[in-house]
Amino acid sequence: MTTVPAAVIALIGSLFFALGAALQQFEAVGANGAAGADRPKMLELLRRPRWLLGGASILAGGGLHIVALGLGPLTVVQPMGVASLLFALPIAATLHGRRPTTSELGAAAVVAAGLIGLVLMVPESAGPVRLDLGELFTLLGLSGAAAALLWAGSRPASPAGRAALLATASGVLYGATATLVRVLVDGGWNWAYLLALPVPALLALMMLQRAYAVGHFGVSFAALQIADPVTAVAFGALLLGEPLPTGPVPIAAAALAAAGTVALARTTPLENRPLRAGRISES
């Protein structure tokens, strides 16, 4: 394995992912001004070139991450992926016409440290994995129910809490999507998997845009990055028979990531400037 090239490619992929997320959040805030509180219309977003560019950037980042995994070990590539949070905050702040504060970057570093601990605890695939039809419905039902509860809980929450809960709901759905993708790749072709795949993926995308539209980008992006791998590990244990990480390290890592997210909620300003965002996107 070529460790250094893998780390470099993964780091570049993280930069693309961060850029894409920041662009989509900026445009979601602009669409929010026209569509109502925390409800950016997807059709409007699809007409915004910067939002589409953000999507292309995210896809490029994902592709580079896959290439990196083919070149280097998981223990090197996955921590590089966590760097997207540290890239995303300055990019998003620049788009909103400000500089990230030291406390904001410090909180992001705490989240990143916790995430590194979490991703290093994710068990590697031990072989082909499969879901029967009942397990497939369990996957979709549990992820959908969890997302619905988080969405309901977000309605009376503060703006930062709403961003975190909506992004967590998105992360749960993306974790379910990642589980389905893995089953397709490792377990072989199955029409049921393929037909089910767009359901959590599209719901996750819509939920994430709602989280972005709230305005607390650092909070929503951190919550997304935590919820996605945690959900994938949970489904791996529940449905695929994989062992859960044990010992104090995963617990400490999760606590560190959660504490950093809370700190981000207190330090990241509300970046909800629909008039300016709409004016820029029309230029």
Side-chain angles (χ1 to χ4, degrees):
M1 288 187 177
T2 51
T3 301
V4 174
V8 171
I9 291 173
L11 201 60
I12 295 172
S14 294
L15 180 58
F16 273 97
F17 191 83
L19 175 62
L23 285 170
Q24 289 199 331
Q25 188 267 346
F26 186 74
E27 292 301 325
V29 168
N32 182 34
D38 309 341
R39 292 192 298 273
K41 293 181 179 179
M42 288 303 301
L43 289 179
E44 182 178 348
L45 289 174
L46 288 170
R47 291 195 293 266
R48 294 182 174 231
R50 285 187 179 87
W51 191 88
L52 294 173
L53 179 61
S57 185
I58 289 171
L59 289 175
L64 288 170
H65 189 77
I66 292 171
V67 171
L69 284 172
L71 294 175
L74 189 71
T75 52
V76 170
V77 174
Q78 290 291 64
M80 294 297 105
V82 172
S84 58
L85 176 62
L86 300 177
F87 291 146
L89 284 179
I91 294 172
T94 300
L95 286 172
H96 286 279
R98 68 176 185 87
R99 293 182 180 180
T101 64
T102 303
S103 56
E104 188 179 356
L105 293 176
V110 172
V111 176
L115 280 170
I116 288 173
L118 284 174
V119 299
L120 291 180
M121 295 296 104
V122 175
E124 294 191 50
S125 177
V129 290
R130 292 185 180 277
L131 292 173
D132 60 33
L133 194 59
E135 290 170 331
L136 177 61
F137 281 114
T138 299
L139 173 73
L140 296 175
L142 287 178
S143 59
L149 287 173
L150 288 163
W151 170 77
S154 73
R155 294 172 68 84
S158 66
R162 187 157 62 251
L165 290 170
L166 288 171
T168 300
S170 177
V172 168
L173 292 166
Y174 273 131
T177 304
T179 303
L180 280 174
V181 169
R182 187 178 156 205
V183 170
L184 269 170
V185 172
D186 291 350
W189 182 268
N190 187 301
W191 278 105
Y193 303 157
L194 191 63
L195 291 173
L197 187 61
V199 177
L202 291 175
L203 288 174
L205 179 63
M206 294 171 64
M207 200 73 72
L208 184 59
Q209 300 314 306
R210 287 196 170 197
Y212 283 165
V214 175
H216 284 279
F217 175 65
V219 178
S220 54
F221 196 64
L224 172 70
Q225 286 203 307
I226 295 169
D228 187 345
V230 168
T231 301
V233 169
F235 279 133
L238 178 65
L239 300 176
L240 305 180
E242 295 178 335
L244 281 172
T246 58
V249 174
I251 297 173
L256 195 63
T261 304
V262 171
L264 272 176
R266 295 176 177 174
T267 57
T268 302
L270 183 65
E271 294 172 329
N272 200 346
R273 303 177 183 179
L275 292 178
R276 181 187 176 197
R279 185 166 63 248
I280 291 175
S281 64
E282 292 168 2
S283 61

Coordinates of all heavy atoms in Angstrom, one line a residue, residues 205-256:
L205 N -30.9 13.9 1.9 CA -30.5 15.2 1.3 C -31.5 16.3 1.6 O -31.1 17.4 1.9 CB -30.5 15.0 -0.2 CG -30.2 16.2 -1.1 CD1 -28.8 16.7 -0.8 CD2 -30.4 15.8 -2.6
M206 N -32.8 16.0 1.6 CA -33.8 17.0 1.9 C -33.7 17.5 3.4 O -33.8 18.7 3.7 CB -35.2 16.5 1.7 CG -35.5 16.2 0.2 SD -37.0 15.3 -0.1 CE -38.2 16.6 0.5
M207 N -33.4 16.5 4.3 CA -33.3 16.9 5.7 C -32.1 17.7 5.9 O -32.1 18.7 6.7 CB -33.2 15.6 6.6 CG -33.6 15.8 8.0 SD -35.3 16.1 8.3 CE -36.0 14.5 8.0
L208 N -31.0 17.4 5.2 CA -29.7 18.2 5.4 C -29.9 19.6 4.9 O -29.4 20.5 5.5 CB -28.6 17.5 4.6 CG -27.2 18.1 4.8 CD1 -26.8 18.1 6.3 CD2 -26.2 17.3 4.0
Q209 N -30.6 19.8 3.8 CA -30.8 21.2 3.3 C -31.6 22.0 4.3 O -31.4 23.2 4.5 CB -31.5 21.2 2.0 CG -30.7 20.4 0.9 CD -29.2 20.8 0.9 OE1 -28.9 22.0 0.8 NE2 -28.4 19.8 0.9
R210 N -32.6 21.3 5.0 CA -33.3 22.0 6.1 C -32.4 22.4 7.2 O -32.5 23.5 7.8 CB -34.4 21.2 6.6 CG -35.6 21.0 5.6 CD -36.8 20.5 6.4 NE -38.0 20.5 5.5 CZ -39.2 20.5 6.0 NH1 -39.5 20.3 7.2 NH2 -40.3 20.5 5.1
A211 N -31.5 21.5 7.6 CA -30.5 21.8 8.6 C -29.6 23.0 8.2 O -29.4 23.9 9.0 CB -29.7 20.6 8.9
Y212 N -29.1 22.9 7.0 CA -28.3 24.0 6.5 C -29.0 25.4 6.5 O -28.4 26.4 6.7 CB -27.8 23.7 5.1 CG -26.7 22.7 5.0 CD1 -26.4 22.1 3.8 CD2 -26.0 22.3 6.1 CE1 -25.4 21.2 3.7 CE2 -24.9 21.4 6.0 CZ -24.6 20.8 4.8 OH -23.6 19.9 4.7
A213 N -30.3 25.3 6.1 CA -31.1 26.6 6.0 C -31.2 27.3 7.4 O -31.5 28.5 7.4 CB -32.5 26.3 5.4
V214 N -31.1 26.6 8.5 CA -31.2 27.2 9.8 C -30.1 28.3 10.0 O -30.3 29.3 10.5 CB -31.1 26.2 10.9 CG1 -31.1 26.8 12.3 CG2 -32.3 25.2 10.8
G215 N -28.9 27.9 9.5 CA -27.8 28.9 9.5 C -26.6 28.6 10.3 O -25.6 29.1 10.1
H216 N -26.7 27.6 11.3 CA -25.6 27.2 12.1 C -24.8 26.1 11.4 O -24.9 24.9 11.7 CB -26.0 26.7 13.5 CG -26.4 27.8 14.4 ND1 -25.5 28.6 15.1 CD2 -27.6 28.3 14.7 CE1 -26.1 29.5 15.8 NE2 -27.4 29.3 15.6
F217 N -24.0 26.5 10.4 CA -23.4 25.5 9.5 C -22.4 24.6 10.3 O -22.4 23.3 10.1 CB -22.6 26.2 8.4 CG -21.8 25.2 7.5 CD1 -22.4 24.3 6.7 CD2 -20.4 25.2 7.5 CE1 -21.7 23.4 6.0 CE2 -19.7 24.4 6.7 CZ -20.3 23.5 6.0
G218 N -21.6 25.1 11.2 CA -20.7 24.3 11.9 C -21.4 23.2 12.7 O -20.9 22.0 12.8
V219 N -22.5 23.6 13.3 CA -23.2 22.6 14.2 C -23.8 21.5 13.3 O -23.7 20.3 13.6 CB -24.4 23.3 14.9 CG1 -25.2 22.4 15.7 CG2 -23.8 24.4 15.8
S220 N -24.5 21.9 12.2 CA -25.1 20.9 11.3 C -24.1 20.0 10.7 O -24.3 18.8 10.6 CB -26.0 21.6 10.3 OG -25.2 22.5 9.5
F221 N -23.0 20.5 10.2 CA -22.0 19.7 9.6 C -21.3 18.7 10.5 O -21.1 17.6 10.2 CB -20.9 20.6 8.9 CG -20.1 19.9 7.9 CD1 -20.6 19.4 6.7 CD2 -18.7 19.8 8.1 CE1 -19.8 18.8 5.8 CE2 -17.9 19.1 7.1 CZ -18.5 18.6 6.0
A222 N -21.0 19.2 11.8 CA -20.5 18.3 12.8 C -21.4 17.2 13.2 O -21.1 16.0 13.3 CB -20.1 19.1 14.0
A223 N -22.7 17.6 13.4 CA -23.7 16.6 13.7 C -23.9 15.5 12.6 O -24.0 14.3 12.9 CB -25.1 17.2 14.0
L224 N -23.8 15.9 11.4 CA -23.9 15.0 10.2 C -22.7 14.0 10.3 O -22.9 12.8 10.1 CB -23.9 15.8 8.9 CG -23.8 15.0 7.6 CD1 -25.1 14.2 7.4 CD2 -23.5 15.9 6.5
Q225 N -21.5 14.6 10.5 CA -20.3 13.7 10.4 C -20.3 12.7 11.6 O -19.7 11.7 11.5 CB -19.1 14.6 10.5 CG -18.8 15.3 9.1 CD -17.3 15.6 9.0 OE1 -16.8 16.3 9.8 NE2 -16.7 15.2 7.9
I226 N -20.9 13.1 12.7 CA -21.0 12.1 13.8 C -22.0 11.1 13.6 O -21.8 9.9 13.8 CB -21.3 12.9 15.1 CG1 -20.1 13.8 15.5 CG2 -21.5 11.9 16.3 CD1 -20.4 14.8 16.6
A227 N -23.2 11.5 13.2 CA -24.4 10.6 13.1 C -24.2 9.5 12.0 O -24.6 8.4 12.2 CB -25.7 11.4 12.8
D228 N -23.6 9.9 10.9 CA -23.4 9.0 9.7 C -22.6 7.7 10.1 O -23.2 6.6 10.0 CB -22.8 9.7 8.6 CG -22.7 8.9 7.3 OD1 -22.9 7.7 7.3 OD2 -22.5 9.5 6.2
P229 N -21.4 7.8 10.6 CA -20.6 6.6 10.9 C -21.2 5.8 12.1 O -21.2 4.6 12.1 CB -19.2 7.1 11.2 CG -19.4 8.5 11.6 CD -20.5 9.0 10.8
V230 N -21.7 6.6 13.1 CA -22.3 5.9 14.3 C -23.5 5.0 13.8 O -23.7 3.9 14.3 CB -22.7 6.9 15.3 CG1 -23.6 6.3 16.4 CG2 -21.5 7.5 16.0
T231 N -24.4 5.6 13.0 CA -25.5 4.8 12.5 C -25.1 3.6 11.6 O -25.6 2.5 11.8 CB -26.4 5.7 11.6 OG1 -26.8 6.8 12.4 CG2 -27.6 4.9 11.1
A232 N -24.1 3.8 10.8 CA -23.6 2.7 10.0 C -23.0 1.6 10.8 O -23.2 0.4 10.6 CB -22.5 3.2 9.0
V233 N -22.3 1.9 11.9 CA -21.7 0.9 12.8 C -22.9 0.2 13.5 O -22.9 -1.0 13.7 CB -20.8 1.6 13.8 CG1 -20.4 0.6 14.9 CG2 -19.5 2.0 13.1
A234 N -23.9 1.0 14.0 CA -25.0 0.4 14.7 C -25.8 -0.6 13.8 O -26.1 -1.7 14.2 CB -26.0 1.5 15.2
F235 N -26.0 -0.3 12.5 CA -26.7 -1.2 11.6 C -25.8 -2.4 11.3 O -26.3 -3.5 11.1 CB -27.1 -0.4 10.3 CG -28.4 0.3 10.5 CD1 -28.5 1.6 10.0 CD2 -29.5 -0.2 11.1 CE1 -29.7 2.4 10.2 CE2 -30.7 0.5 11.2 CZ -30.8 1.8 10.7
G236 N -24.5 -2.1 11.2 CA -23.6 -3.3 11.0 C -23.7 -4.3 12.1 O -23.7 -5.5 11.8
A237 N -23.8 -3.8 13.3 CA -24.0 -4.8 14.4 C -25.3 -5.4 14.5 O -25.5 -6.6 14.7 CB -23.7 -4.0 15.7
L238 N -26.4 -4.6 14.2 CA -27.8 -5.1 14.4 C -28.2 -6.0 13.2 O -28.8 -7.1 13.5 CB -28.7 -3.9 14.4 CG -30.2 -4.2 14.5 CD1 -30.5 -4.9 15.8 CD2 -31.0 -2.9 14.3
L239 N -27.8 -5.7 12.0 CA -28.3 -6.4 10.8 C -27.2 -7.3 10.1 O -27.6 -8.3 9.5 CB -28.9 -5.4 9.9 CG -30.1 -4.6 10.4 CD1 -30.5 -3.6 9.3 CD2 -31.2 -5.5 10.8
L240 N -26.0 -6.9 10.2 CA -24.9 -7.6 9.5 C -24.1 -8.5 10.4 O -23.1 -9.1 9.9 CB -24.0 -6.6 8.7 CG -24.8 -5.6 7.8 CD1 -23.8 -4.7 7.1 CD2 -25.6 -6.4 6.8
G241 N -24.4 -8.5 11.7 CA -23.6 -9.4 12.6 C -22.2 -9.0 12.9 O -21.4 -9.9 13.3
E242 N -21.9 -7.7 12.7 CA -20.6 -7.2 13.0 C -20.4 -6.9 14.5 O -21.4 -6.4 15.1 CB -20.2 -6.1 12.1 CG -20.2 -6.4 10.6 CD -19.9 -5.2 9.8 OE1 -20.2 -4.1 10.2 OE2 -19.4 -5.4 8.7
P243 N -19.2 -7.0 15.0 CA -19.0 -6.6 16.4 C -19.0 -5.1 16.6 O -18.6 -4.4 15.8 CB -17.7 -7.2 16.8 CG -16.9 -7.3 15.4 CD -18.0 -7.5 14.4
L244 N -19.6 -4.7 17.7 CA -19.5 -3.3 18.1 C -18.1 -3.0 18.7 O -17.5 -3.8 19.4 CB -20.6 -3.0 19.1 CG -22.0 -2.8 18.6 CD1 -23.0 -2.6 19.8 CD2 -22.1 -1.5 17.7
P245 N -17.6 -1.8 18.5 CA -16.4 -1.4 19.2 C -16.6 -1.4 20.7 O -17.7 -1.1 21.2 CB -16.2 0.1 18.7 CG -16.9 0.2 17.5 CD -18.1 -0.7 17.6
T246 N -15.6 -1.9 21.4 CA -15.7 -2.0 22.9 C -14.6 -1.2 23.5 O -13.6 -0.8 22.9 CB -15.6 -3.5 23.3 OG1 -14.3 -4.1 22.8 CG2 -16.7 -4.3 22.7
G247 N -14.7 -1.1 24.9 CA -13.7 -0.4 25.6 C -14.0 1.1 25.8 O -15.0 1.6 25.3
P248 N -13.2 1.8 26.5 CA -13.5 3.2 26.8 C -13.2 4.2 25.7 O -13.7 5.3 25.7 CB -12.5 3.5 28.0 CG -11.4 2.5 27.8 CD -12.0 1.3 27.2
V249 N -12.4 3.8 24.7 CA -12.0 4.7 23.6 C -13.2 5.2 22.8 O -13.4 6.4 22.6 CB -10.9 4.1 22.7 CG1 -10.6 5.0 21.5 CG2 -9.6 3.8 23.5
P250 N -14.1 4.3 22.3 CA -15.2 4.8 21.6 C -16.1 5.7 22.4 O -16.7 6.7 21.9 CB -16.0 3.5 21.2 CG -15.0 2.4 21.3 CD -14.0 2.8 22.4
I251 N -16.3 5.4 23.7 CA -17.2 6.2 24.5 C -16.5 7.6 24.7 O -17.2 8.6 24.6 CB -17.4 5.5 25.9 CG1 -18.1 4.2 25.7 CG2 -18.2 6.4 26.8 CD1 -18.3 3.4 27.0
A252 N -15.2 7.6 25.0 CA -14.5 8.9 25.1 C -14.6 9.7 23.8 O -14.7 10.9 23.9 CB -13.1 8.6 25.6
A253 N -14.4 9.0 22.7 CA -14.4 9.7 21.4 C -15.7 10.3 21.2 O -15.8 11.4 20.7 CB -14.0 8.7 20.3
A254 N -16.8 9.5 21.4 CA -18.1 10.1 21.2 C -18.4 11.2 22.1 O -19.0 12.2 21.7 CB -19.2 8.9 21.4
A255 N -18.0 11.1 23.4 CA -18.2 12.3 24.3 C -17.5 13.5 23.8 O -18.0 14.6 23.9 CB -17.8 11.8 25.7
L256 N -16.2 13.3 23.3 CA -15.4 14.4 22.9 C -16.1 15.1 21.7 O -16.2 16.3 21.6 CB -14.0 13.9 22.5 CG -12.9 15.0 22.3 CD1 -12.7 15.7 23.6 CD2 -11.6 14.3 21.9

